[in-house]
Amino acid sequence: MCRLIALALLLITSSSLAEEASQKLTPVSIKLHWQHQFQFAGIYAAKEQGYYQDAGLAVTILTGQKAPFNDVEAGNVEFGISGAGLVVERLKGRPFVALAAIFQSSPYTWLVRADSSITQPTDFVGKTVTRQSYADDLSAMLLRFGIDPSQLNIVDPSPEDIDNLIDGKVDALTAYISNEPFQMLSRGVDYRTLSPHEYNINFYSDIIFTSERYLKRQPGDVEAFHSATLRGWQYALEHPYEMVDLILKNYNTQNKTRAHLEFEAEKLSELSLYPTVSLGHMTIERWQKIAEHYQHLGLVNDDQALNGFIYDTTPGVSIWFKWLVVSLGILALLTMIGYFIKRHHAKILSNQIAIQTAALEAELKKGKALEQRAKRESDRLQTLLNHTLEGVITIDETGIIQNFNVASVRLFGYQPEEIIGQNITQLMPAQHRKNHEHGMSRFLISEQSTIIGQPVELEALHKSGQIIPIELTLSAFQWEGHYFFTGIVRDISLQKAEHLALIAAKEEAEKANQAKSEFLSAMSHELRTPLNAILGFAQLLQSDNDAPLTETQQDSLKLIIHSGEHLLKLINDVLELAKIETGSVDVSIEPVNVSVAINHCLPMLKNLAARYRVIIHTDDIPEQLVLADLTKLKQVLINLVSNAIKYNRPDGKVIISGEVIDSTKRLRITIQDTGMGIPRDKQAYLFTAFDRLGQENSDIEGTGVGLIVTKRLIKAMDGHIGFESTENQGTRFWVELPITDNNNQNDEVHQQAESIKAENPFNSSASTLILHIEDNPANIKLMEAFFDRLPQYTLHICKTAEAGLDWLESNMPAVILMDINLPGISGLQATEQIMANPKLRHIPVIAVTAAAMPYDLQQAEGLFTAYLTKPVNFILLTELLNKYSKPEVY
């Protein structure tokens, strides 16, 4: 009976004390290690939601600029927030106790531009970086890869850090994951981060701590503060937008925008790992690992144990003992007076027992509710995984499958109950399993991998035995001292099939292009061979001073030559377009004097203008050098001025002018005519191949490819082309090319070349033996007629390469003229044999051939001394004979 009375009085006393405590709150303070922002949202939530008040605490929140070690140790504040450097202070003997780690990974990161060459820690060597003294995990990350600070150009941080990074003045910044990256986004500049946890440097962050002295003196207040704070953080992470509103209203001393605070909420919530990891979670093993990193950095000198560093919520034996002593004293007192108050308190005792019983039942219900909530969270996470489009598979460090979502079921054919608990190698072809096992062992030993975090293409094994091509992205994380791996798996069978189809289509296109090239080559050869005879004999007749033609015959001959040259231009235009379309057109960019280039073209253009009764005017052309290919530029000018002449009116004008465009640093060449103009509905087709804009049946000669060739040549020279046209008034074309101030040293060479062409081709002195290997009878007669006018040369003809090689065994010509398409051994093969013979290799071999396609020229590149295409230009042939038939050439 006495014992019951004593228990009743104890309950009455504890109830009275609880009621008194609810009326009087214990004042405590916590000092932050920075200014107000979402980083401390859980503390704001605990205060604003009344969790601290429920715990019997009146909490004051103080801000700071660094970790409040001195304030907590001196007792100025009861609680503080610090980074992982707290463990350094503990190892130095300062009596701090870590209560909870809010962030499981450090928010400090290296920040670089998205186009930076820094993609891994070893790339930092020789780079300019900013360095914050408190971001020790960034130093540990570099140290792990053997990078000493002396290998970096370290500069002090400044308010202009973001500008310096964008402008390239620094290569990398020490950044807080929710601040500087947001500033980059705000500037519209893409960025990348290199965080320590990506390289298994896992520092805790935002650790709530107190002193050993305060914990021993007020264990109840510490436990109350600990529980209320974690409760506040749970609320903050589950209601991030509500917390942003609260910060904007009451705690936004840094004047951050809503967008910035929402960005902070997203990035910092990811670091908490909640709800996968319980809030405040810490392990002594991980703290010991962090201490080892600090030891490597030279910040602590020993690796002493961290006993008592992590807060233990389980009451100690000494506290229970004290409670027992106090209880026994109270029990003794109550036993003495129990008899006198037995009846008075009987009813009260029954009520209190009922209240305590109800409280116990409420606690049990609360425990069940928490258990159900944990199950709901687990189910929610699994539902999220099951609704992802990619397969998600998690394994432990032994390779045993822990999780297998619905997308993985579709991909591999196994149900979760069939595969969970099995080794991951069951999803791999047999030939790949050893590589997987070796790679897993190597990672667990070195904690380094070449595939983690990188998408890789692999082969997987379906339940049916079918091989599946997949793309795997693997990540690793540690939980309670053990590694786990999560793989994101994507079926790439369709992409593989499309890739193979593209390869097949590319091969077909290349075959078709080769067939087209071969056809054009054959047609070019077949057309040039007879055209060579037509134009060659016509030129010989025209220049025959011994038997001159009558005026009527000369007129007829001019018509033959004109028609032949027109046919040759058609062939050349088609071949030029074919070369451009296959990308084989080459340009030799050099400083070119535009005025000189125009003057080179004018004599031929004035002859054409006289035929069409058109006058060419050249306004002042700036003596300005442009970057161009002289030959291609002359081809462009000839095409544009020829069109302006041909599509003009009788007695019309063509005006060629030029001006420097200072804003673009280009020279604009303008060709304006007074012709018929281009109808508006035809202008869109102006640069279309073989489209003559309705002039197909007119007397104006053309192929319809000149302008498209012109446009593509201008583009190859980094230029622009444009036009304006008004029907019945005229057309104005302009070409713009980049200007340069460099002297053009090639003008003199080009002028000398032009003057050489003007010389009489039939000048020479000494008699020299020439070998010509040619199988076409007409071309043989043409070459014999040509050499009949050059008594200084003796021509010997061989109709096959075999015959020519036999003849060379006993003869030594000064020059060999070689056709390429020969019966039996080709001209290419014959020339190779000549070059391989020490007695003959000094003889110049000039190709005289109708093979004029790009790949024909590629095959012959570097083999011949010179390469002439038919119809033969006798002026050029004479120059080459004069140049290479002289003995001193050898």
Side-chain angles (χ1 to χ4, degrees):
M1 178 66 69
C2 292
R3 292 180 180 178
L4 290 175
I5 294 172
L7 179 60
L9 287 176
L10 177 62
L11 293 173
I12 292 170
T13 303
S14 62
S15 176
S16 300
L17 292 173
E19 182 178 356
E20 181 181 355
S22 66
Q23 296 173 354
K24 184 178 179 181
L25 301 178
T26 300
V28 296
S29 56
I30 179 170
K31 188 165 185 179
L32 314 179
H33 59 150
W34 195 244
Q35 304 301 304
H36 290 304
Q37 54 190 26
F38 194 90
Q39 182 181 1
F40 310 110
I43 296 173
Y44 310 148
K47 183 171 184 177
E48 300 293 336
Q49 294 297 318
Y51 300 154
Y52 287 138
Q53 185 175 356
D54 294 344
L57 303 174
V59 177
T60 300
I61 304 172
L62 305 174
T63 60
Q65 298 290 335
K66 61 182 180 179
F69 297 134
N70 295 334
D71 289 327
V72 173
E73 186 176 19
N76 299 329
V77 296
E78 289 73 23
F79 303 98
I81 296 182
S82 164
L86 179 67
V87 74
V88 176
E89 303 302 319
R90 172 74 184 201
L91 291 174
K92 289 180 178 178
R94 304 184 76 173
F96 295 136
V97 178
L99 302 179
I102 302 304
F103 301 137
Q104 297 297 308
S105 294
S106 170
Y108 291 106
T109 184
W110 288 112
L111 179 68
V112 300
R113 287 173 54 110
D115 57 1
S116 171
S117 61
I118 301 177
T119 61
Q120 57 187 350
T122 53
D123 296 333
F124 278 89
V125 175
K127 298 297 192 296
T128 299
V129 302
T130 67
R131 176 70 178 90
Q132 302 284 5
S133 60
Y134 44 75
D136 300 311
D137 48 341
L138 299 183
S139 297
M141 166 183 159
L142 297 180
L143 184 62
R144 178 166 190 168
F145 286 85
I147 301 172
D148 189 84
S150 63
Q151 296 176 275
L152 310 176
N153 178 23
I154 301 175
V155 298
D156 292 331
S158 72
E160 292 79 29
D161 277 345
I162 294 297
D163 293 327
N164 292 339
L165 181 63
I166 294 173
D167 296 338
K169 296 178 181 178
V170 297
D171 301 301
L173 300 181
T174 299
Y176 197 87
I177 193 65
S178 64
N179 286 340
E180 287 81 2
F182 179 80
Q183 296 177 42
M184 294 288 280
L185 289 177
S186 301
R187 302 283 190 88
V189 180
D190 291 338
Y191 68 89
R192 283 187 290 104
T193 59
L194 287 85
S195 299
H197 64 81
E198 297 171 3
Y199 301 94
N200 203 28
I201 306 293
N202 288 305
F203 278 28
Y204 291 122
S205 184
D206 281 46
I207 300 97
I208 301 172
F209 71 100
T210 187
S211 67
E212 287 183 343
R213 183 176 59 183
Y214 184 74
L215 175 59
K216 291 177 181 178
R217 192 174 71 244
Q218 300 292 343
D221 290 347
V222 172
E223 172 57 27
F225 183 84
H226 174 267
S227 299
T229 301
L230 295 185
R231 187 180 175 192
W233 263 110
Q234 180 178 341
Y235 187 90
L237 294 174
E238 292 176 354
H239 304 83
Y241 296 108
E242 180 181 329
M243 296 311 302
V244 169
D245 292 337
L246 176 63
I247 293 169
L248 288 171
K249 180 179 178 182
N250 297 336
Y251 295 96
N252 194 19
T253 57
Q254 297 191 69
N255 296 318
K256 292 191 175 183
T257 65
R258 177 180 293 276
H260 192 169
L261 290 171
E262 290 179 353
F263 182 82
E264 271 188 1
E266 177 187 355
K267 293 299 181 182
L268 296 178
S269 297
E270 292 174 357
L271 297 179
S272 73
L273 299 184
Y274 175 80
T276 305
V277 177
S278 59
L279 285 167
H281 174 77
M282 295 182 294
T283 65
I284 195 64
E285 292 82 8
R286 187 164 164 194
W287 271 118
Q288 204 72 47
K289 187 72 173 178
I290 294 171
E292 290 174 7
H293 286 302
Y294 277 112
Q295 187 177 2
H296 294 155
L297 289 172
L299 297 179
V300 292
N301 296 325
D302 54 43
D303 55 354
Q304 59 184 302
L306 292 172
N307 297 333
F309 177 55
I310 297 181
Y311 174 57
D312 185 0
T313 57
T314 304
V317 175
S318 60
I319 296 174
W320 282 104
F321 181 75
K322 292 178 181 179
W323 182 87
L324 180 60
V325 171
V326 173
S327 298
L328 289 174
I330 294 173
L331 182 60
L333 177 63
L334 292 175
T335 302
M336 292 173 62
I337 64 174
Y339 177 77
F340 301 101
I341 58 174
K342 171 182 175 183
R343 292 181 180 276
H344 178 71
H345 290 290
K347 185 176 181 180
I348 296 175
L349 177 62
S350 298
N351 291 338
Q352 291 297 326
I353 292 173
I355 292 171
Q356 292 297 323
T357 302
L360 289 173
E361 291 176 350
E363 287 295 326
L364 289 173
K365 289 182 180 179
K366 183 178 179 182
K368 290 181 179 179
L370 290 173
E371 183 180 350
Q372 291 174 354
R373 179 173 182 179
K375 187 178 184 305
R376 285 198 304 272
E377 288 297 330
S378 177
D379 292 342
R380 181 173 73 89
L381 179 60
Q382 189 61 48
T383 300
L384 289 173
L385 292 176
N386 287 337
H387 282 79
T388 59
L389 297 178
E390 314 292 358
V392 180
I393 304 172
T394 299
I395 65 173
D396 63 17
E397 60 190 14
T398 66
I400 301 302
I401 297 173
Q402 305 293 319
N403 187 278
F404 199 77
N405 73 338
V406 171
S408 300
V409 172
R410 292 194 298 269
L411 180 57
F412 291 98
Y414 290 99
Q415 293 299 319
E417 59 271 16
E418 295 180 277
I419 198 68
I420 291 177
Q422 302 298 318
N423 197 285
I424 190 65
T425 55
Q426 189 166 328
L427 302 179
M428 301 177 185
Q431 64 270 26
H432 299 322
R433 293 173 183 173
K434 287 292 184 184
N435 291 337
H436 161 74
E437 293 169 356
H438 291 158
M440 178 75 83
S441 300
R442 185 168 57 251
F443 176 81
L444 294 176
I445 294 171
S446 66
E447 297 184 339
Q448 293 183 358
S449 172
T450 58
I451 67 170
I452 288 181
Q454 303 292 331
V456 293
E457 292 187 7
L458 301 170
E459 289 183 339
L461 185 65
H462 190 268
K463 180 180 179 181
S464 64
Q466 178 185 355
I467 301 297
I468 315 167
I470 63 168
E471 180 183 87
L472 172 67
T473 303
L474 193 64
S475 62
F477 63 94
Q478 278 188 304
W479 177 252
E480 295 183 346
H482 296 282
Y483 269 108
F484 290 83
F485 304 86
T486 295
I488 310 296
V489 188
R490 185 164 63 92
D491 185 353
I492 58 173
S493 302
L494 181 60
Q495 294 91 319
K496 284 287 187 182
E498 290 176 347
H499 179 65
L500 292 175
L502 284 173
I503 291 175
K506 179 176 178 290
E507 290 175 351
E508 284 297 319
E510 289 174 348
K511 289 179 182 178
N513 190 55
Q514 179 66 19
K516 182 188 77 172
S517 297
E518 291 175 357
F519 171 75
L520 287 174
S521 177
M523 290 305 298
S524 169
H525 185 272
E526 293 304 317
L527 291 171
R528 286 175 180 274
T529 298
L531 194 57
N532 182 53
I534 294 170
L535 287 176
F537 281 114
Q539 290 177 48
L540 292 177
L541 287 173
Q542 191 178 43
S543 61
D544 191 350
N545 294 325
D546 295 334
L549 302 179
T550 65
E551 185 175 346
T552 302
Q553 291 172 328
Q554 284 283 0
D555 291 340
S556 300
L557 192 60
K558 288 179 181 178
L559 184 59
I560 293 172
I561 293 174
H562 175 71
S563 299
E565 289 174 345
H566 176 59
L567 179 57
L568 180 60
K569 186 176 187 308
L570 296 180
I571 296 170
N572 289 337
D573 282 350
V574 172
L575 294 181
E576 183 72 25
L577 181 60
K579 284 196 292 184
I580 291 174
E581 288 181 340
T582 56
S584 60
V585 62
D586 294 322
V587 292
S588 176
I589 302 300
E590 59 184 359
V592 173
N593 189 312
V594 173
S595 179
V596 172
I598 292 173
N599 290 333
H600 286 176
C601 301
L602 282 178
M604 182 184 71
L605 293 171
K606 286 182 176 179
N607 289 335
L608 180 64
R611 190 189 314 163
Y612 282 87
R613 291 169 52 198
V614 171
I615 300 173
I616 299 177
H617 289 285
T618 54
D619 286 353
D620 291 336
I621 306 295
E623 290 294 329
Q624 176 66 57
L625 301 179
V626 299
L627 293 174
D629 183 308
L630 178 60
T631 302
K632 298 295 190 293
L633 177 58
K634 289 195 293 184
Q635 183 177 349
V636 166
L637 293 171
I638 290 170
N639 282 348
L640 293 177
V641 178
S642 297
N643 283 347
I645 293 170
K646 291 188 291 186
Y647 292 97
N648 217 315
R649 304 176 185 277
D651 301 322
K653 295 180 181 179
V654 174
I655 302 171
I656 306 173
S657 60
E659 62 174 327
V660 174
I661 310 298
D662 292 326
S663 60
T664 59
K665 300 296 183 183
R666 291 175 178 267
L667 176 67
R668 173 177 287 189
I669 307 167
T670 302
I671 295 96
Q672 185 166 357
D673 64 55
T674 57
M676 60 191 75
I678 304 169
R680 183 175 295 275
D681 60 341
K682 303 288 187 182
Q683 291 181 9
Y685 307 100
L686 188 63
F687 294 103
T688 303
F690 305 109
D691 192 334
R692 298 191 60 205
L693 308 183
Q695 300 296 325
E696 292 82 356
N697 298 321
S698 71
D699 294 334
I700 301 174
E701 299 170 344
T703 62
V705 300
L707 280 179
I708 189 170
V709 168
T710 297
K711 181 177 181 180
R712 294 181 184 179
L713 289 177
I714 286 294
K715 183 178 180 182
M717 293 186 286
D718 191 28
H720 305 308
I721 186 171
F723 75 97
E724 293 176 351
S725 184
T726 304
E727 197 167 0
N728 298 321
Q729 292 186 21
T731 302
R732 182 169 68 95
F733 277 88
W734 68 84
V735 169
E736 292 182 359
L737 292 167
I739 63 177
T740 180
D741 295 329
N742 292 335
N743 292 329
N744 185 356
Q745 299 176 352
N746 294 320
D747 280 348
E748 182 179 349
V749 175
H750 290 301
Q751 291 171 356
Q752 291 175 355
E754 293 295 328
S755 64
I756 290 172
K757 292 181 181 179
E759 294 176 0
N760 186 347
F762 306 114
N763 284 339
S764 191
S765 55
S767 177
T768 307
L769 180 60
I770 306 295
L771 171 62
H772 184 35
I773 302 177
E774 170 68 69
D775 66 320
N776 185 276
N779 289 334
I780 291 174
K781 289 183 179 180
L782 174 61
M783 201 61 74
E784 289 174 340
F786 170 70
F787 276 95
D788 283 345
R789 300 189 182 187
L790 301 175
Q792 66 271 29
Y793 295 111
T794 300
L795 180 67
H796 180 80
I797 301 289
C798 288
K799 295 184 179 181
T800 65
E802 291 86 346
L805 293 172
D806 289 341
W807 185 84
L808 285 170
E809 291 182 0
S810 56
N811 296 277
M812 190 65 63
V815 175
I816 300 173
L817 304 179
M818 179 73 72
D819 188 21
I820 289 180
N821 293 314
L822 295 167
I825 297 177
S826 71
L828 294 173
Q829 295 169 318
T831 305
E832 289 173 351
Q833 293 186 30
I834 292 170
M835 293 296 103
N837 190 328
K839 295 180 180 180
L840 304 176
R841 66 176 57 161
H842 67 279
I843 304 175
V845 181
I846 300 173
V848 182
T849 177
M853 288 299 292
Y855 78 89
D856 294 324
L857 301 177
Q858 291 172 2
Q859 284 184 318
E861 187 174 1
L863 185 60
F864 294 100
T865 308
Y867 197 98
L868 295 180
T869 57
K870 299 174 182 177
V872 178
N873 183 326
F874 285 123
I875 295 176
L876 182 55
L877 175 58
T878 304
E879 293 174 6
L880 292 173
L881 289 172
N882 289 339
K883 179 178 180 180
Y884 292 112
S885 62
K886 296 177 181 180
E888 59 266 27
V889 172
Y890 317 134

